[in-house]
Amino acid sequence: MDKVVNEFVARCRWFHEPMTKGRARMFAMQHRLNTRQRNSVLKLKVAANCTDWDTRMRIIRACSEEVIADHEHGGGRPHWQILEDLGVRIGMKRSALQRAAALPSTELAWAAWDGLMANKHWLEGIVANTCAERVNVPGYGKGEFRKRGWFGLERRRWKELFSLGDHELEFFELHSEADIEHSNTGWRAVEKFARKLRMEDAAVAACQRNLYVWEHYLNGIAAAGDARGRQS
């Protein structure tokens, strides 16, 4: 699965093209929605299907941090709220963030994930839960990405683009920490159960399919952000 993640990092244009204000603002709107949808609906379907109690509880705890309260990394706030605060810091109105609608590309990603998470074996579903969080773990890709992970890269790009202080970029900092923990849940489950269930190939295929959906999701944000930037 690490090879599949590396291939995703290499091909996904979001990681390699310059960050713009239009893309950053569209990311804040869409990823706020996506965090809520994936963690209040999609990931919980995987938890419901999971037959291993400890793994199920780890999924639910991770979802709670994202949508209810993260006391360990986020000072008691859910991750979507911290992202909303970041959107305000980069000049967006809170009301605009709260009223934002999902892009068609985001809605299509949700439909794809519903099939890949709710209607598959729970081990394939937990790969879907965690495969994109894995890119926040250092060691994938090249250069700065390999050293810092995806949100380490974003932290630097947003800091330069919006002249933000370190304390104002807490969303990326907490996610770098939390996503190591969250993604380890998925990777350890595959390590523990895939051979026993004879699902090694299925787990790798699930990782590949889900990262293609993530690529579609991020490409949609990039396109919409670029279009908005041209209109402003």
Side-chain angles (χ1 to χ4, degrees):
M1 291 200 305
D2 288 328
K3 179 182 176 183
V4 172
V5 175
N6 259 322
E7 291 170 350
F8 168 62
V9 172
R11 72 171 183 265
C12 183
R13 64 189 184 93
W14 180 273
F15 306 137
H16 305 288
E17 295 177 358
M19 179 55 60
T20 66
K21 291 184 177 181
R23 289 187 180 194
R25 288 166 179 154
M26 188 59 64
F27 179 85
M29 289 190 287
Q30 294 302 303
H31 207 60
R32 175 186 176 278
L33 291 171
N34 194 38
T35 297
R36 288 156 60 111
Q37 177 72 8
R38 281 179 59 84
N39 290 281
S40 68
V41 179
L42 297 171
K43 291 184 182 180
L44 293 179
K45 293 182 178 181
V46 177
N49 292 334
C50 183
T51 57
D52 180 70
W53 179 260
D54 290 340
T55 302
R56 179 186 291 179
M57 289 299 100
R58 281 194 287 271
I59 296 170
I60 293 172
R61 184 166 58 249
C63 290
S64 175
E65 291 177 354
E66 297 277 2
V67 296
I68 300 174
D70 183 350
H71 295 286
E72 183 174 355
H73 306 289
R77 294 164 297 160
H79 293 188
W80 65 264
Q81 179 69 62
I82 297 169
L83 179 54
E84 182 180 300
D85 292 342
L86 176 59
V88 173
R89 291 188 190 116
I90 64 173
M92 304 179 72
K93 292 183 178 180
R94 194 174 298 276
S95 59
L97 285 155
Q98 294 173 345
R99 292 197 309 265
L103 295 168
S105 51
T106 298
E107 291 184 336
L108 184 58
W110 290 345
W113 281 320
D114 189 59
L116 292 167
M117 297 165 82
N119 300 313
K120 292 289 186 179
H121 188 279
W122 69 264
L123 191 64
E124 296 170 279
I126 201 171
V127 172
N129 278 12
T130 58
C131 62
E133 294 174 332
R134 196 67 185 172
V135 299
N136 281 332
V137 179
Y140 298 98
K142 298 178 181 179
E144 183 181 10
F145 200 109
R146 185 175 185 84
K147 182 179 179 180
R148 303 183 186 280
W150 175 23
F151 276 5
L153 170 68
E154 296 297 5
R155 192 171 186 273
R156 193 264 300 164
R157 298 203 296 185
W158 288 51
K159 181 177 183 177
E160 293 176 355
L161 189 62
F162 296 103
S163 299
L164 297 174
D166 289 340
H167 67 285
E168 296 177 295
L169 293 153
E170 59 181 335
F171 174 77
F172 298 121
E173 188 71 29
L174 77 90
H175 255 280
S176 295
E177 296 172 358
D179 283 353
I180 291 173
E181 180 182 333
H182 294 175
S183 70
N184 281 344
T185 295
W187 256 237
R188 288 170 183 162
V190 170
E191 187 178 278
K192 182 177 180 180
F193 295 105
R195 182 173 295 178
K196 184 188 302 184
L197 296 169
R198 298 182 179 179
M199 291 185 64
E200 298 101 319
D201 291 343
V204 173
C207 186
Q208 190 170 45
R209 292 187 189 107
N210 276 279
L211 289 176
Y212 276 117
V213 180
W214 273 100
E215 187 173 2
H216 172 82
Y217 166 72
L218 291 172
N219 284 347
I221 293 174
D226 291 346
R228 174 166 293 197
R230 287 192 295 270
Q231 293 169 4
S232 60

